[in-house]
Amino acid sequence: MGTPGNSIIGAAVSRIDGPAKVSGKAQYALDHPLDNVAYGVGVASTVGNARIASIDTSTAERMPGVLAILHHGNTEPLFRPAEQLEHSRAGEIRPPFEDDQVYYYGQFVALVVANTFEQAKDAASRVQIHYDVSKPAVLLSDAPPPQGPPRIHYSRGDADQAFESAPVKIDETYVIPVETHNPMEMHATIAAWDRDKLTLYATTQGVVNYQKVLSEVLGTPLENVNVISPFCGSGFGGKLFPWPQSMLAALAAKRVHRPVAVQVPRSLMFTTVGHRPLTQQRMRLGATEDGKLVAIQHDVVQPTSMVDVYVEGCTGVTTMLYDCANLTANQQLVRLNIGTPTPMRGPGIVPGLFPLESAMDELAIQLKMDPIELRLKNYAEQDESYSPPRPWSSKHLRECYQTGVERFGWSKRNPQVGSMRSGNEILGWGMASSTWHAGRGSATVRVRLNADGTARASCATQDIGTGTYTIFAQVVSQKTGIPLDKIQVVLGDSSLPNGPTSGGSTTTATVLPAIARATEAAINSVLDAATRTPGSPFFAQEGATAPKLAMANGRVHIADQPPASGVPFEQILTTRRIAALDGEARTSPDPADEHKVSSHSFGAQFMEVAWDPGIARLRVTRALTVIDAGSIINKKAGTNQILGAVVMGIGMAMLEETIYDPRNAKPLNNNFADYLVATNADVPELECVFVEYPDYHLNEYGARGIGEIGLAGVAPALINAIHHATGVRVRRLPFRVEDVLGAEKATVI
Amino acid sequence: MQTFRYSQARSVEGAVRSSGTFLAGGTTLVDLMKLDVLQPNAVVDINPLPLAQVEALPGGGLRIGAMVRNSDLANHATVREQYAVLSEALLSGASPQLRNMATTGGNLLQKTRCYYYRDTNYACNKRQPGSGCSAIDGYNRIHAVLGGSADCVATHPSDMAVAMMALEATVHTQGAQGQRAIALDQFYLVPGMTPDKENVLLPGELITHVTLPALAAGTRSHYLKLRDRAQYEFALASAAVVVRVSGRRIERVRIALGGVGTKPWRSAEAERALEGRDATTENFRRAADAAMADAKPLRYNGFKIELAKRALVRTLETTTQTA
Ligand SMILES: Cc1cc2nc3c(=O)[nH]c(=O)nc-3n(C[C@H](O)[C@H](O)[C@H](O)COP(=O)(O)OP(=O)(O)OC[C@H]3O[C@@H](n4cnc5c(N)ncnc54)[C@H](O)[C@@H]3O)c2cc1C
């Protein structure tokens, strides 16, 4: 436990929810002990494109324990979520069972509800569905070419002309396959109605949005829906928005007059609840002989589903990372019979940086220039994506490069391909820049100081495993001096004061000021009570001016005297015989500030691979990440976020790929054995360094977000390292042994 | 999952008489029952049988009970010291949790990891004879380049069995007809036109144990498995080598390959190319070419030919290099 007071901000604090998690006391969605729960198991389509000709439930209905079978033919359609009109968002705008069409493999076409999970699963396998099947569009080449204006278009200067006349050019196309979120806890919801009130026990990155969406699709007043999600077994973006199983649970619970639990099985995690879409990205760089970028052109094609539009904004990062006068960016969408994509950790920037930072490496090689020198030569002193350009709120990327160079030993790098050895293995060193846009939203927080000497902070945000609980306690502790073990934090309940969705690495920056203001408000109430309560040592007799008070170390004291001279704050409350005093605050970013500066985190990532050419084996052996993300509020949680993201990046570069069968749109590797993520054995010792420059633009603590940036440059840095070792440029992720054997690489896109 | 009868075997004879599907570690069987790929009416749990011993044979060699867990076998002192190839193969397979459950008998009889075999919505001749093969025109990166037929190209994915092939193991069984000893080399079948027939076991026949012959003094062995990630993945290609060298001359060598064949692939061609010759990289390469001479690549697995050769060359180098 850190010591209370100022030092607790920035300390390496163990998470306060850790003991509950490791002892199994933490309740995840399906752990909530409700009476009389029935289980819903979905019947998912086994074809990618079809009309449902008939559904025969006669056998299934007669099976033991079966309570109901819901499908489009016997269920009142749900409403669509209002989305942009109401700032709500569902994973997929089409609610389940809206019509008789199958738009993708794994779409829910029925839900069997039974007394037990096993009964429901058994009956679900006996529901007979007949489809009128059409050929699904699964590969990019199956889709009609994109029509109409691009979804994203950006232009500055004259990039066509500048590229045309550039003396040095790179023009390559890069592909990232579909990647699937695989949090440990699969999507799950228990829905329980009490007359017209609905409680949903869910696993989500946003209880407030979840509540809103469910109220919209059910046509129920907002206050009748409550969403509870005290713990989330990770989301990685996949749980930002509610998916069909939540709506089906609510429908089914209404139908059978019992709470109903619905979990998405691992196989449907690959089809039915989002994924990072495939992107095919052409990157053109034009430069002068001495390495000054004169043109960048970034063109992206990305599939979305047949039922919704999801845009993976890959080009934004290209428009801001380097100084370049002439730039165009375009992104087109095509439609495939694959479920709706959704944000995955670092949406847009992570896939966008792969081609940009790969192409920069290719350019450096062509120019015979050090890749860091090339990046410094094109260092963006301001954010040129705006017109006129905006200054950065705080940028220390140069120092990230420098720190990385020193710690990694970059000066010992021989740029010659295959020139560096360790025993029988060839080493490859690569690097890439990383960045993430910093943002902040609105939040309301309530803080209560209790007469038993404890404090409680509450907010309808949630801790998705990142350490949000702990950050709340840290700020309350810093302001009051109450130790962490006497501070209770209550999150993950939509009936609490409105808090942010945990996404975009914005939660910390958003909630910090609200916690601080709410704590101050609660303290002020206590100080006020201290002067107004007979029996309090600070009670101001009639006519006398109240002394100027403060609170520190959990004690109320006269401001210009030491805390020890005062009394424990709870003494004021007990003297007044009240249980507690509350403070509440809502904070929002200042709109006047918003357009003045551009706020981003930055980083530099350095990777080493070892290649054993005799057996074509390539492994990651070192990974250093240097991050400029403002102040780090909790070193332990912060480091954990970065290192976890690097592990994910190793998966992205070396392993991950959802492989679809073009014949029926099934992801063939829809399980944990066949969909490869990094195991511990794939991950070397990881190092993370923060260069800490507080960025007071976002909040008084100077903190930006760190949830995503750690992933941003890993894949290109690794691919650049692989090139350095092997001379092979991998432009289609993930790296495969085929790449270094010169063999045809299975490319199902 | 189909409803089934469950019973426990009390004796080897009782198990053989039971006419149910044997349940050992369950890591293959239960997995495939949940997918409806295997739908036994009756499951006979053979865990109570006294088949979990590893014993030295009087005349040398080792007797391994069918119920010996993969983790126990891998860490058995004699196995580690004298049959390194087997210990290494076992430890390269699956995950620690799976190895703690998986048994010697079950491992020999594990099913393929072919995507199409594991999904009842696909045609698959192995699962449903005559229905067709979805892999031949499908995503066949993990499939076999050796021993395939027009009806099936699924790999036998066991690592342990590859090591046992190179060790010239014998499978001992008890069936209605009594006991049999079957050389492992004769145990597996290539798919041909009957890919559902994977081995020579008769219905109800129980594997009781496996024996390994003693190895001559100075014999070295090694298993090398190549795959996309460092752990917890089946082999793309693997090699097991058991070799004895005198001076530079290869006196005796046994070679098997994994991840590339429709059965654990013993390569007599490679052995012939090496015995009596010097242990040189050129000779190893020639042996590897011989081992893969009949390989037939499919659309996506051509790289396995070269990968298997490299695995073999490296394994031969490792086992013959002078310390
Ligand atoms: C995710 C995953 C990854 C894996 N990775 C690997 C890997 O990398 N390498 C590898 O080699 N293996 C791997 N395996 C396979 C694993 O090794 C096998 O599942 C295991 O060895 C099977 O042993 P078991 O005792 O659990 O068999 P069971 O599942 O109990 O039985 C398998 C089959 O053998 C029959 N059987 C069992 N014992 C006998 C007997 N004594 N006599 C007659 N018939 C019998 C059963 O009836 C059944 O048909 C993996 C498995 C999984 C699930």
Side-chain angles (χ1 to χ4, degrees), chain A residues 671-674, chain B residues 20-32 38 40 43-44 46-47 49 51 65-70 89-95 98-111 113 118 156-162 171-174 187 198-199 201-202 204-209 223 225 227 229 231-235:
Chain A
N671 59 68
F672 252 172
D674 295 322
Chain B
T21 297
F22 301 133
L23 172 72
T27 60
T28 290
L29 180 62
V30 177
D31 187 25
L32 292 174
L38 297 179
V43 168
V44 178
I46 56 173
N47 281 277
L49 299 183
L51 301 174
M67 292 306 295
V68 174
R69 306 286 159 178
N70 286 180
L90 284 161
L91 293 176
S92 75
S95 64
L98 284 159
R99 295 196 293 268
N100 287 342
M101 290 302 290
T103 63
T104 309
N107 193 320
L108 288 173
L109 299 177
Q110 66 174 282
K111 299 293 186 183
R113 194 77 201 182
R118 291 172 56 84
H156 191 287
S158 170
D159 293 299
M160 183 195 80
V162 176
V171 179
H172 299 263
T173 69
Q174 171 128 15
F187 182 76
E198 296 187 335
N199 53 56
L201 282 184
L202 299 168
E205 194 168 0
L206 179 82
I207 298 177
T208 52
H209 60 281
Y223 188 73
K225 177 172 177 178
R227 45 184 158 178
R229 69 178 166 190
Q231 272 294 331
Y232 192 42
E233 189 189 4
F234 291 98

Side-chain angles (χ1 to χ4, degrees), chain B:
Chain B
M1 189 191 259
Q2 182 171 292
T3 309
F4 59 92
R5 267 183 297 116
Y6 170 87
S7 61
Q8 287 192 333
R10 300 271 162 240
S11 66
V12 167
E13 295 69 27
V16 170
R17 272 198 312 272
S18 68
S19 78
T21 297
F22 301 133
L23 172 72
T27 60
T28 290
L29 180 62
V30 177
D31 187 25
L32 292 174
M33 285 169 71
K34 287 198 271 186
L35 294 172
D36 278 329
V37 171
L38 297 179
Q39 299 191 307
N41 292 316
V43 168
V44 178
D45 186 347
I46 56 173
N47 281 277
L49 299 183
L51 301 174
Q53 256 71 53
V54 181
E55 292 152 306
L57 290 171
L62 211 58
R63 179 188 204 277
I64 303 161
M67 292 306 295
V68 174
R69 306 286 159 178
N70 286 180
S71 44
D72 292 336
L73 185 57
N75 293 313
H76 191 275
T78 311
V79 175
R80 283 167 62 157
E81 282 153 27
Q82 294 173 29
Y83 302 97
V85 65
L86 178 58
S87 180
E88 291 165 356
L90 284 161
L91 293 176
S92 75
S95 64
Q97 296 89 331
L98 284 159
R99 295 196 293 268
N100 287 342
M101 290 302 290
T103 63
T104 309
N107 193 320
L108 288 173
L109 299 177
Q110 66 174 282
K111 299 293 186 183
T112 181
R113 194 77 201 182
C114 173
Y115 312 113
Y116 309 101
Y117 171 76
R118 291 172 56 84
D119 181 344
T120 56
N121 288 304
Y122 279 102
C124 170
N125 291 320
K126 189 185 275 301
R127 179 170 26 79
Q128 206 182 348
S131 61
C133 173
S134 303
I136 286 183
D137 297 318
Y139 184 80
N140 44 37
R141 179 174 186 259
I142 63 170
H143 291 74
V145 289
L146 288 167
S149 70
D151 288 332
C152 185
V153 288
T155 47
H156 191 287
S158 170
D159 293 299
M160 183 195 80
V162 176
M164 286 186 172
M165 278 282 184
L167 289 169
E168 297 176 284
T170 303
V171 179
H172 299 263
T173 69
Q174 171 128 15
Q177 255 56 272
Q179 298 178 346
R180 291 207 282 168
I182 309 159
L184 189 58
D185 202 16
Q186 307 295 313
F187 182 76
Y188 293 106
L189 302 172
V190 290
M193 287 163 69
T194 52
D196 54 313
K197 215 51 212 111
E198 296 187 335
N199 53 56
V200 300
L201 282 184
L202 299 168
E205 194 168 0
L206 179 82
I207 298 177
T208 52
H209 60 281
V210 173
T211 51
L212 304 180
L215 298 180
T219 301
R220 293 167 76 178
S221 72
H222 181 49
Y223 188 73
L224 175 66
K225 177 172 177 178
L226 301 179
R227 45 184 158 178
D228 297 311
R229 69 178 166 190
Q231 272 294 331
Y232 192 42
E233 189 189 4
F234 291 98
L236 290 172
S238 69
V241 167
V242 180
V243 65
R244 186 159 44 82
V245 189
S246 98
R248 294 199 23 101
R249 208 177 107 96
I250 297 173
E251 298 289 336
R252 188 172 196 278
V253 64
R254 293 294 173 264
I255 290 171
L257 300 173
V260 288
T262 51
K263 60 176 195 170
W265 201 262
R266 170 95 180 261
S267 180
E269 297 82 355
E271 293 167 6
R272 269 200 303 277
L274 286 172
E275 277 181 349
R277 296 225 163 72
D278 278 355
T280 64
T281 299
E282 302 76 70
N283 285 338
F284 297 158
R285 188 75 208 176
R286 219 167 288 135
D289 289 342
M292 302 307 289
D294 290 336
K296 288 192 187 56
L298 302 160
R299 167 124 191 236
Y300 294 122
N301 66 359
F303 74 98
K304 280 189 171 188
I305 299 174
E306 177 62 19
L307 195 63
K309 289 181 186 178
R310 293 197 189 188
L312 178 54
V313 170
R314 173 63 58 87
T315 311
L316 287 164
E317 285 170 349
T318 310
T319 44
T320 57
Q321 77 200 356
T322 38

Side-chain angles (χ1 to χ4, degrees), chain A residues 99-386:
Chain A
D99 54 40
D100 62 0
Q101 292 297 310
V102 170
Y103 300 96
Y104 53 89
Y105 184 103
Q107 180 182 317
F108 283 117
V109 291
L111 183 83
V112 177
V113 189
N115 285 324
T116 68
F117 169 74
E118 290 76 11
Q119 289 168 334
K121 193 163 187 308
D122 202 12
S125 71
R126 308 298 147 109
V127 173
Q128 299 274 331
I129 314 228
H130 296 281
Y131 300 101
D132 288 337
V133 181
S134 306
K135 190 183 168 346
V138 181
L139 310 181
L140 267 191
S141 52
D142 292 340
Q147 304 274 311
R151 288 283 167 168
I152 298 175
H153 175 70
Y154 175 93
S155 168
R156 67 177 181 249
D158 184 348
D160 284 337
Q161 207 283 321
F163 181 77
E164 198 53 46
S165 57
V168 184
K169 291 180 195 168
I170 296 290
D171 181 357
E172 297 293 351
T173 297
Y174 304 81
V175 176
I176 304 172
V178 168
E179 293 161 4
T180 298
H181 312 72
N182 268 303
M184 287 302 288
E185 186 193 22
M186 298 172 286
H187 292 257
T189 309
I190 310 177
W193 290 90
D194 180 6
R195 269 159 299 197
D196 59 350
K197 302 253 194 242
L198 173 64
T199 306
L200 296 148
Y201 301 86
T203 172
T204 177
Q205 296 177 240
V207 288
V208 170
N209 175 65
Y210 205 111
Q211 173 199 30
K212 213 157 164 21
V213 169
L214 267 290
S215 89
E216 289 170 3
V217 299
L218 295 164
T220 303
L222 189 65
E223 65 273 19
N224 285 7
V225 178
N226 192 28
V227 178
I228 310 279
S229 184
F231 291 97
C232 172
S234 261
F236 305 118
K239 293 177 184 167
L240 285 168
F241 319 123
W243 290 95
Q245 98 288 340
S246 61
M247 304 168 196
L248 294 178
L251 274 183
K254 194 162 215 173
R255 178 82 60 94
V256 302
H257 306 290
R258 279 169 68 175
V260 171
V262 182
Q263 184 168 40
V264 174
R266 184 64 63 186
S267 58
L268 296 189
M269 293 292 289
F270 287 80
T271 50
T272 318
V273 287
H275 54 267
R276 195 199 295 284
L278 177 146
T279 49
Q280 178 178 289
Q281 309 184 52
R282 180 179 180 196
M283 184 64 73
R284 278 173 286 179
L285 304 181
T288 61
E289 306 276 7
D290 61 352
K292 184 72 207 69
L293 286 169
V294 294
I296 303 180
Q297 301 193 276
H298 187 180
D299 297 285
V300 185
V301 182
Q302 174 231 311
T304 185
S305 69
M306 293 291 177
V307 291
D308 206 347
V309 171
Y310 171 79
V311 182
E312 178 86 23
C314 295
T315 59
V317 65
T318 307
T319 64
M320 55 65 64
L321 193 56
Y322 294 110
D323 166 50
C324 180
N326 307 295
L327 195 149
T328 56
N330 291 295
Q331 184 153 342
Q332 297 272 18
L333 295 191
V334 297
R335 290 196 185 259
L336 295 179
N337 288 107
I338 288 179
T340 304
T342 211
M344 180 191 272
R345 200 173 201 173
I349 290 184
V350 167
L353 268 180
F354 170 59
L356 180 59
E357 289 298 276
S358 295
M360 284 297 276
D361 200 61
E362 300 200 48
L363 180 62
I365 290 165
Q366 216 185 96
L367 292 164
K368 297 196 167 51
M369 206 169 161
D370 182 82
I372 295 170
E373 202 187 317
L374 176 65
R375 286 166 173 86
L376 289 172
K377 176 114 194 163
N378 295 286
Y379 197 81
E381 297 291 356
Q382 47 187 356
D383 186 345
E384 295 171 24
S385 68
Y386 295 102

